[in-house]
Amino acid sequence: MRNDTIAFIMSGRRQRRRRWVLVTCSLALLAVLLCCAMLLLGNTIYPVKEIVRALFGEQVKGVSFAVNTIRLPRMLAGLFSGMAFGMAGIVFQTMLRNPLANPNIIGITSGSSAAAVFCITILHSTNAVVSVASVVAGLITVLIMYLLSRGRSFSIGRLILIGIGMQAMLDAVVSYLILISAQQDIPTALRWLTGSLNGSQMKELPPLLITVIVLAPILIALSKHLSLLELGEQSASSLGLNTDKTRIVLIVSAVAMVAIATATTGPIAFVSFLAGPIATRLVGAGHSNVVPAGLVGANLVLGADLIGQFLFEVRYPVGIITGLLGAPYLIFLLIQMNRKGEL
Amino acid sequence: MTATHLFQAEQLVAGYDHKTVIHGIDLVIPSNKISVIIGANGCGKSTLLKTLARLIKPISGQVTVDGKPISKIPPKKLARIIGMLPQSPIVPEGISVADLVGRGRFPHQSMFSGWSKKDYEAVAEAMEIMNITEFANHDIDELSGGQRQRVWIAMALAQQTDILFLDEPTTFLDITYQVEILDLLTDLNRKHGTTIMMVLHDINLSARYADHIFAMHEGKLVAEGTPSEVITSTMVKDIFGLNCTVIQDPLCGSPMVVPRGRHHAIR
């Protein structure tokens, strides 16, 4: 009888695992395809052979500039910021057990954005300073929100509402900074208001690449711990998890990812908010969805950027497209939560 | 058979932020027995249980296992000795029953390992004891309250601890499920020798299922012993402020509280 039970449990787990692997691999494949499309498509479509040669450092007239200076940085910025937004988003959503509890909704991105804009337009800081400032600002935003929402007992609903307020305030700061800064051109403004991959440059990318490469493994390694936090403070500590330490590591890593991605591409609207729920819908709940969420995030950014670039007569920044996708979902969630009486 | 431990609290004072709820409690949990904490609402039963299960840090005094303060034992190691089922555990959405029960294996696993053979064994055993194998691959959202409660207990069982704390495991359940859960816990205690310490609301069920009763009143331990030693009409009057007659349970002879209201004439 015991062996039958084990076989039964095993078969179910194997089935769920298979679905996870299948979906995750498909998402990875899609990301690869979208990356290729980002390199291939543009004003001029160059032969693949020439693009590859240019990528490997050969000087091919015209191609080298278009691919290495424009398309490659754009593709890398989209890929890595998408992964950063997606992973950080699902970490917050799982930890706080609420899809609305997301860096994008509760003002963490706006905090980082405000700091980045301030450093770039007013102080004319270097990349390194911008990165550090946006991470620090993100963490300060989290801290302020936590202190404000603590009250008599901590409530996630209150945290979300305070976060939405903070977000509105910080967005106003961003708009103000853009208005008073000397270079008030529209592309810059759009980048800091909705996020854009336009004008991504190779020299801006290292902080983002390093952050994702270092922190993504940490988040993946902690996904088992994250799934315990999802059970609530008491169950998690009864199972032997050091909840305070785990939470701090997760929050700092996730905020750093979001902040640096925001400092690089601007706050690409709703990606961190959408990636987690989409990934969970695709692979099923109950196991580590950090990787699928990162891939969904990357696909959303790359896909939306391709749509924004080529589907319309005018080129739209990526954030406008993701905003169009995300806003209806946000409204849907708010209505649903209101119905359940969670807000 | 489960290991025997000396689990005790010494001069325990505990509470929340500024409010002290437990005022100096000394107790030894009888090893391999079922103990129940009884007391009126707000007397600190739940706080005591949480402090014993290291979910609340005591203000002063200490809780020790085999003479060692639990605050000095690494959390994962401690989680292999004591398990705890909180009063209202949070249900994650869309997770399968087997995966949820499997989360109880955390203290036995390393960071990256998947499920070992032992993990499967433990999960299967826990699910068999709680009679939920048929739901293994169902989503937890599809289960009823009573079934869900059995899943939570199974998760605590999969943890394979020697001591199990349960905070009102039968609240919100129909009487049938209350009895079923308590029967299953008794099976566990008799078969495996697991030490069980729980808070129960129903004094008559406590009297029937407990080997040992701790009676609390206003943050203090006022009596302890076997049900027939502790549950007397004077004690019930003292801790619950209830006038009652205590008779023998017609089925098993344990003490049974029959409350006296104001509206029923006494025969």
Side-chain angles (χ1 to χ4, degrees), chain A residues 146-228:
Chain A
Y146 171 71
L147 292 176
L148 287 177
S149 59
R150 215 168 34 161
R152 273 178 165 273
S153 68
F154 178 79
S155 129
I156 289 173
R158 189 160 44 212
L159 178 106
I160 292 170
L161 291 177
I162 289 173
I164 292 174
M166 295 262 299
Q167 150 120 325
M169 242 156 54
L170 290 163
D171 281 348
V173 173
V174 175
S175 305
Y176 173 73
L177 287 171
I178 293 169
L179 273 174
I180 61 163
S181 69
Q183 52 206 137
Q184 35 179 284
D185 52 328
I186 290 167
T188 318
L190 280 179
R191 175 168 192 174
W192 292 112
L193 290 174
T194 63
S196 165
L197 302 179
N198 286 336
S200 299
Q201 292 170 21
M202 221 45 168
K203 66 173 182 3
E204 299 169 345
L205 293 182
L208 175 63
L209 269 50
I210 294 168
T211 310
V212 173
I213 290 168
V214 173
L215 294 183
I218 295 183
L219 293 185
I220 295 167
L222 287 179
S223 35
K224 207 186 247 174
H225 301 60
L226 183 63
S227 67
L228 291 191

Side-chain angles (χ1 to χ4, degrees), chain B residues 53-186:
Chain B
R54 54 91 168 72
L55 296 183
I56 299 176
K57 239 178 108 182
I59 295 166
S60 67
Q62 60 177 1
V63 179
T64 60
V65 183
D66 303 326
K68 207 170 173 196
I70 53 169
S71 54
K72 298 256 158 58
I73 303 174
K76 251 182 151 170
K77 191 177 171 201
L78 189 64
R80 294 194 290 263
I81 305 172
I82 57 177
M84 160 93 184
L85 179 71
Q87 192 170 0
S88 36
I90 292 162
V91 188
E93 263 174 60
I95 182 175
S96 75
V97 169
D99 285 344
L100 186 58
V101 175
R103 288 193 183 169
R105 296 300 295 165
F106 178 77
H108 299 271
Q109 291 167 334
S110 66
M111 204 154 183
F112 293 103
S113 65
W115 285 27
S116 66
K117 196 161 179 302
K118 265 197 178 146
D119 294 330
Y120 276 107
E121 288 271 355
V123 170
E125 186 185 7
M127 294 182 77
E128 280 172 9
I129 294 176
M130 281 297 129
N131 225 338
I132 49 170
T133 34
E134 54 178 314
F135 307 122
N137 300 318
H138 286 233
D139 271 5
I140 182 95
D141 323 290
E142 298 166 21
L143 306 189
S144 71
Q147 292 165 339
R148 252 184 227 188
Q149 190 64 349
R150 286 189 283 166
V151 173
W152 288 115
I153 299 177
M155 182 175 115
L157 295 189
Q159 204 175 330
Q160 293 189 323
T161 58
D162 304 320
I163 304 167
L164 186 57
F165 291 104
L166 303 109
D167 196 351
E168 302 207 12
T170 56
T171 327
F172 309 123
L173 297 182
D174 289 343
I175 180 82
T176 327
Y177 294 122
Q178 295 188 21
V179 171
E180 183 184 66
I181 296 273
L182 291 171
D183 275 342
L184 289 168
L185 288 171
T186 309

Side-chain angles (χ1 to χ4, degrees), chain A residues 62-239:
Chain A
V63 186
S64 286
F65 177 78
V67 171
N68 289 345
T69 315
I70 298 181
R71 294 184 197 171
L72 182 64
R74 186 183 192 113
M75 180 271 267
L76 288 175
L79 178 68
F80 281 83
S81 66
M83 290 207 289
F85 285 130
M87 289 184 168
I90 200 168
V91 166
F92 272 95
Q93 287 165 328
T94 315
M95 196 161 50
L96 297 171
R97 291 179 295 277
N98 191 320
L100 284 176
N102 181 274
N104 214 224
I105 310 283
I106 58 176
I108 300 171
T109 3
S110 302
S112 302
S113 209
V117 177
F118 183 75
C119 290
I120 292 169
T121 60
I122 310 286
L123 304 178
H124 306 287
S125 317
T126 57
N127 276 334
V129 176
V130 174
S131 303
V132 173
S134 56
V135 173
V136 172
L139 290 173
I140 292 175
T141 316
V142 173
L143 194 68
I144 294 176
M145 238 161 6
Y146 171 71
L147 292 176
L148 287 177
S149 59
R150 215 168 34 161
R152 273 178 165 273
S153 68
F154 178 79
S155 129
I156 289 173
R158 189 160 44 212
L159 178 106
I160 292 170
L161 291 177
I162 289 173
I164 292 174
M166 295 262 299
Q167 150 120 325
M169 242 156 54
L170 290 163
D171 281 348
V173 173
V174 175
S175 305
Y176 173 73
L177 287 171
I178 293 169
L179 273 174
I180 61 163
S181 69
Q183 52 206 137
Q184 35 179 284
D185 52 328
I186 290 167
T188 318
L190 280 179
R191 175 168 192 174
W192 292 112
L193 290 174
T194 63
S196 165
L197 302 179
N198 286 336
S200 299
Q201 292 170 21
M202 221 45 168
K203 66 173 182 3
E204 299 169 345
L205 293 182
L208 175 63
L209 269 50
I210 294 168
T211 310
V212 173
I213 290 168
V214 173
L215 294 183
I218 295 183
L219 293 185
I220 295 167
L222 287 179
S223 35
K224 207 186 247 174
H225 301 60
L226 183 63
S227 67
L228 291 191
L229 280 182
E230 200 186 2
L231 300 176
E233 178 72 32
Q234 296 191 357
S235 301
S237 6
S238 320
L239 288 167

